C-alpha cells in the first residue's frame, strides 16, 4: 500500500514543551494517537475517489456526510493535530507580531481578553474537542468544536488551536483541564504561527 498521507515531524523535541506538557504525553499523543489517525485514513481512502486528495479537501468534501464519517474523522484529526503542534512553541513570548496584535486589539480589545475567551472556549467544551482562534472575514473570533470537527467546513480560517481531548493532558493533569489550558495559554502559544496564518 502506498501511503498518501504521512505523519509530519514534530516541530520540536518530545521534551521541548516540559513542564507544561511532558515528554510522555507528547510521545503518546503524537506517536500513537496522531499516527493512528494517519494510518487509518490511508487505509480508508486507498482505492477510492478520495485517494490522492489533500487533508483539507477530504475534510471539506466529507463534513456532515454520514456515509463518509470515518474518512472525515480521521482526516480532520490528522489535520487538527498537525495544526495543534504548530500552535505550540517552547519559545513563546509576549511580543505579538504587529499585524496580529492589531487584529487582536480590534476584535477583543486586549490580549488578556482574547486569552480569557480562548480559555473559556477550551474549558467549557463539553467532552472532547478543540478551541480555536479563527479569522472570520476581517475579524478574529474564538470558537470551539466537538470531537474531530474543525473550522474548515465553516469557511473560517484557523489561526491557532488548543486540543482538549483528554489524551492531550490527562497523564499530566488528570481531570484538571483548566490547569492545562491556562498553562498552554500562558507558556506555549505560538503567536508567530498564528500571525503567519493571517496571510
Amino acid at each position: 500500500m502506498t501511503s498518501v498521507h504521512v505523519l509530519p515531524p514534530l516541530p520540536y523535541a518530545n521534551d521541548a514543551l516540559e513542564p507544561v506538557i511532558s515528554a510522555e504525553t507528547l510521545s503518546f499523543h503524537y506517536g500513537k494517537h496522531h499516527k493512528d489517525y494517519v494510518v487509518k485514513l490511508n487505509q480508508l481512502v486507498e482505492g477510492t475517489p478520495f485517494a490522492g486528495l489533500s487533508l483539507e479537501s477530504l475534510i471539506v468534501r466529507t463534513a456532515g456526510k454520514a456515509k463518509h464519517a470515518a474518512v472525515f474523522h480521521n482526516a480532520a484529526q490528522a489535520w487538527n493535530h498537525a495544526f495543534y503542534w504548530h500552535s505550540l512553541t517552547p519559545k513563546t513570548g509576549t511580543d505579538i507580531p504587529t499585524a496580529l496584535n492589531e487584529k487582536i486589539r480590534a476584535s477583543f480589545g486586549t490580549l488578556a481578553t482574547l486569552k480569557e475567551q480562548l480559555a473559556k472556549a477550551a474549558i467549557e467544551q463539553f467532552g472532547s474537542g478543540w478551541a480555536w482562534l479563527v479569522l472570520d472575514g476581517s475579524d478574529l473570533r474564538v470558537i470551539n468544536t466537538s470531537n474531530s470537527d474543525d473550522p474548515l467546513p465553516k469557511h473560517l480560517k484557523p489561526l491557532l488551536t488548543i486540543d482538549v481531548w483528554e489524551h492531550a493532558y490527562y497523564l499530566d493533569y488528570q481531570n484538571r483541564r483548566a490547569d492545562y489550558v491556562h498553562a498552554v495559554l500562558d507558556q506555549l502559544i505560538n503567536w508567530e504561527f498564528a500571525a503567519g496564518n493571517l496571510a
Side-chain angles (χ1 to χ4, degrees):
M1 174 175 136
T2 301
S3 292
V4 176
H5 303 284
V6 298
L7 183 68
L10 282 173
Y12 32 70
N14 267 11
D15 62 353
L17 305 181
E18 291 187 333
V20 177
I21 298 173
S22 68
E24 183 182 23
T25 288
L26 201 56
S27 177
F28 275 102
H29 195 174
Y30 170 75
K32 304 269 186 207
H33 291 279
H34 189 181
K35 180 182 178 182
D36 286 349
Y37 294 126
V38 174
V39 170
K40 181 66 173 174
L41 178 63
N42 282 321
Q43 293 169 348
L44 287 167
V45 301
E46 184 183 20
T48 76
F50 294 127
L53 295 180
S54 68
L55 291 176
E56 293 88 347
S57 293
L58 285 171
I59 291 165
V60 172
R61 290 188 188 200
T62 59
K65 297 178 179 174
K67 67 179 180 178
H68 300 310
V71 171
F72 171 77
H73 291 308
N74 284 279
Q77 284 293 78
W79 190 91
N80 292 355
H81 279 85
F83 194 81
Y84 170 64
W85 305 133
H86 287 279
S87 295
L88 307 178
T89 176
K91 302 173 184 174
T92 195
T94 54
D95 292 333
I96 311 295
T98 301
L100 178 60
N101 197 36
E102 289 173 356
K103 287 279 189 190
I104 290 171
R105 287 206 315 269
S107 297
F108 300 100
T110 66
L111 178 61
T113 301
L114 165 57
K115 285 185 173 183
E116 287 170 9
Q117 290 194 25
L118 273 168
K120 180 179 172 66
I123 294 164
E124 295 183 0
Q125 167 59 38
F126 185 78
S128 299
W130 305 80
W132 305 84
L133 176 64
V134 301
L135 186 64
D136 183 4
S138 60
D139 298 321
L140 299 184
R141 286 176 53 204
V142 169
I143 65 169
N144 52 11
T145 60
S146 296
N147 299 317
S148 54
D149 289 345
D150 68 29
L152 298 181
K154 302 172 178 66
H155 306 292
L156 301 171
K157 187 167 190 178
L159 303 186
L160 62 84
T161 193
I162 301 172
D163 186 346
V164 291
W165 282 63
E166 284 188 344
H167 60 240
Y169 61 87
Y170 213 82
L171 287 176
D172 299 327
Y173 297 90
Q174 289 77 51
N175 65 336
R176 304 188 312 276
R177 180 190 285 188
D179 290 351
Y180 154 75
V181 168
H182 287 299
V184 165
L185 281 168
D186 290 341
Q187 300 177 54
L188 296 181
I189 287 295
N190 189 345
W191 298 111
E192 293 281 349
F193 176 66
N197 289 321
L198 281 173

